Amino acid sequence: MTKLTRRDFLAASASVAAASTVATTNAFAAPAAPAATGAGLKFDIEKGATLRVLRWKRFVQGDEDLWNANVKKFTEKTGVAVRTDSEGWEDLRPKAAVAANVGSGPDIVMSWFDDPQQYPTKLIDLTDLATSLGSRLGGWYDVCRKYGTKDGKWIALPFGVVGNAIVYRESQIKAAGFDGIPKDTAGFLKLCQALKAKNTPAGFALGKAVGDANNWAHWLLWAHGGKLVDKKGAVVINSPETRAALEYAKQLYPTFIPGTLSWQDPSNNKAYLDGQISLTANGISVYYAAKNSPDPKLQEMAKDTQHAHFPIGPAGKPTELMQITQMMIFKHTKFPNAAKAFVQFMFEPEQYNPWMEASIGYVSQSLKAYEKNSIWTSDPKATVYRDSAALMIDHGHEGPLGQASAACMADYVVVDMVAEAASGSKTVQQAIDRAAERAKRFYKA
């Protein structure tokens, strides 16, 4: 299978943006929402319907196992055969953009961040479904509403948030002279320096890691009050706050294990489980892998593993970015009712609650009713991930979500800026200037 790069993603997205200015029609457009019956909406599923779903490859086996079990249940209840294709995190976004551009491919995609905002005219309006789910399941978090809507309509439904937190070895933190993760960035730097001195270093991804690199690099920028764009979408990255963030990064980077400039999303998981690092930023997947391993050493590592929220920086408030995943349905599907029925089915408590439990909270809820899931209290180490959607900031921050914001993330504008300044490959000002130049190309409209 041909691997698509982020360059392919940007090229395809540009084509989609151009095409989106032309009105499109679809003979299979979804009809007006039917009246609610039973727990949710009733969809008149098309005869002979089949569905193809594209989603990201799992990091937690329970996620995949329960997903497949739920797909099987849907097929048994409806007769609709569903094929799930799983792609690597870096490959998912460009493949979705190509499908939108050419008007064929998967019917449903579980995408990242604001990818649906790249091609809103290519997607089925899900407002009826979002309204029904929200009214029955506690409502959507504000950040989910911002990610999922465009011009007052729901173009995608946020399926959940891959929570991101500080993952650390408690014994090694204590050996470095700390009782836990400091609440402020100054104390956090001192902790990482002490860990390095003990030969138990930290490690944060600075390569093309869709989740881990973007999450912590944006936190770093925002924690110091920096931002890529303002409320109007004007590029304002060249600021004293950004310079402060990058000066901090220059001090933090020497405490990392060598090689983080090339790390992708699996890299810190492997380094942590191999005992090479004592602290990183990740989802609950590291803990899950250690806890469920037959290796006694990894089981002991799981007992020693703890999770904490990111420290607060000079901005004075939480500034965490986490990886939201959204379900969107393309207009090119021949079976829109079957597709909407599938999306609704996967959000219902009978499927969603067991899925979260099987993946021990790897993906946290986008609907508030699921805060009550027992996974958040049965294992206290999972609790920090419960509030991901309530706590997080969308990656547009103050600025609008859309083609420009998605393109900047896909091109790793913020990540590259942090990596260049932290590693010394560019001066702080050179890194900022390059980021500003790149961002302005996408925000020029």
Side-chain angles (χ1 to χ4, degrees):
M1 185 175 291
T2 302
K3 182 174 181 179
L4 295 168
T5 67
R6 70 183 190 283
R7 186 179 298 276
D8 299 319
F9 168 81
L10 294 168
S13 299
S15 299
V16 172
S20 68
T21 61
V22 181
T24 59
T25 59
N26 190 315
F28 297 96
T37 58
L41 303 182
K42 182 178 179 180
F43 298 101
D44 186 12
I45 294 176
E46 301 86 354
K47 185 177 180 179
T50 61
L51 296 173
R52 180 184 164 201
V53 181
L54 178 64
R55 61 156 290 174
W56 36 269
K57 285 184 179 178
R58 58 103 180 112
F59 263 69
V60 171
Q61 187 62 48
D63 155 35
E64 185 175 85
D65 292 344
L66 259 291
W67 174 272
N68 291 336
N70 287 336
V71 168
K72 182 179 179 182
K73 282 172 60 180
F74 177 78
T75 298
E76 291 171 348
K77 286 179 177 292
T78 64
V80 177
V82 180
R83 167 184 153 191
T84 300
D85 296 327
S86 298
E87 291 288 348
W89 288 27
E90 176 70 11
D91 294 335
L92 177 66
R93 307 181 81 189
K95 285 182 180 291
V98 169
N101 183 36
V102 301
S104 66
D107 305 277
I108 302 169
V109 175
M110 258 173 82
S111 65
W112 291 130
F113 295 108
D114 61 348
D115 289 351
Q117 303 283 344
Q118 288 267 18
Y119 27 77
T121 63
K122 304 288 185 174
L123 305 175
I124 286 178
D125 184 350
L126 299 178
T127 303
D128 58 342
L129 191 48
T131 301
S132 173
L133 290 168
S135 66
R136 293 184 292 109
L137 295 169
W140 300 91
Y141 295 98
D142 289 343
V143 71
C144 296
R145 183 175 296 276
K146 183 175 178 182
Y147 268 116
T149 59
K150 178 75 172 179
D151 298 328
K153 296 181 179 180
W154 288 84
I155 58 173
L157 297 189
F159 198 59
V161 177
V162 180
N164 198 259
I166 301 297
V167 183
Y168 65 97
R169 296 284 301 273
E170 185 175 30
S171 62
Q172 294 177 350
I173 298 297
K174 289 182 176 179
F178 291 77
D179 293 329
I181 302 300
K183 303 294 185 183
D184 62 292
T185 49
F188 186 70
L189 175 60
K190 292 178 181 178
L191 166 63
C192 291
Q193 291 169 336
L195 289 171
K196 177 71 171 181
K198 286 285 186 179
N199 200 30
T200 54
F204 289 76
L206 281 168
K208 310 306 183 188
V210 175
D212 293 334
N214 272 310
N215 289 334
W216 94 269
H218 282 80
W219 160 80
L220 176 78
L221 174 64
W222 298 342
H224 290 81
K227 54 191 174 185
L228 186 61
V229 298
D230 65 15
K231 293 179 181 180
K232 295 181 179 180
V235 176
V236 293
I237 191 68
N238 191 353
S239 69
E241 292 80 9
T242 300
R243 285 188 282 278
L246 298 186
E247 291 293 348
Y248 181 88
K250 286 179 62 177
Q251 298 178 75
L252 192 62
Y253 177 74
T255 72
F256 295 174
I257 187 176
T260 58
L261 290 172
S262 62
W263 275 11
Q264 294 188 333
D265 283 294
S267 303
N268 61 339
N269 298 57
K270 294 176 181 178
Y272 187 96
L273 293 171
D274 195 41
Q276 298 176 38
I277 57 175
S278 60
L279 183 151
T280 190
N282 206 47
I284 205 170
S285 53
V286 171
Y287 171 63
Y288 180 98
K291 182 179 179 180
N292 290 281
S293 172
D295 186 340
K297 291 183 178 179
L298 289 180
Q299 292 177 11
E300 286 301 312
M301 180 181 288
K303 295 176 183 177
D304 191 35
T305 295
Q306 298 291 346
H307 305 110
H309 289 300
F310 276 74
I312 305 296
K317 60 183 179 180
T319 53
E320 298 180 38
L321 174 69
M322 301 184 200
Q323 197 161 356
I324 199 165
T325 182
Q326 304 205 72
M327 295 185 79
M328 55 185 177
I329 303 174
F330 283 118
K331 284 183 178 178
H332 64 239
T333 181
K334 296 180 180 180
F335 309 109
N337 288 351
K340 291 175 80 172
F342 176 82
V343 171
Q344 176 174 256
F345 183 82
M346 297 302 264
F347 270 100
E348 296 294 344
E350 295 80 6
Q351 288 70 244
Y352 200 93
N353 273 320
W355 173 69
M356 276 209 305
E357 291 161 6
S359 58
I360 65 169
Y362 180 65
V363 181
S364 62
Q365 70 283 342
S366 53
L367 287 158
K368 295 177 182 178
Y370 293 119
E371 290 178 1
K372 299 177 181 178
N373 190 293
S374 61
I375 188 60
W376 305 127
T377 52
S378 59
D379 186 344
K381 294 186 180 183
T383 306
V384 70
Y385 294 98
R386 177 190 59 200
D387 303 323
S388 296
L391 181 69
M392 66 181 282
I393 300 172
D394 67 88
H395 75 268
H397 196 8
E398 288 189 3
L401 292 175
Q403 293 164 355
S405 63
C408 282
M409 176 165 277
D411 207 33
Y412 295 96
V413 170
V414 171
V415 172
D416 287 348
M417 177 185 70
V418 173
E420 290 163 0
S423 66
S425 67
K426 286 183 170 40
T427 67
V428 165
Q429 193 58 52
Q430 287 172 338
I432 292 172
D433 290 344
R434 181 168 180 264
E437 181 182 353
R438 294 169 68 191
K440 286 176 182 177
R441 289 203 299 267
F442 298 119
Y443 281 95
K444 61 184 178 182

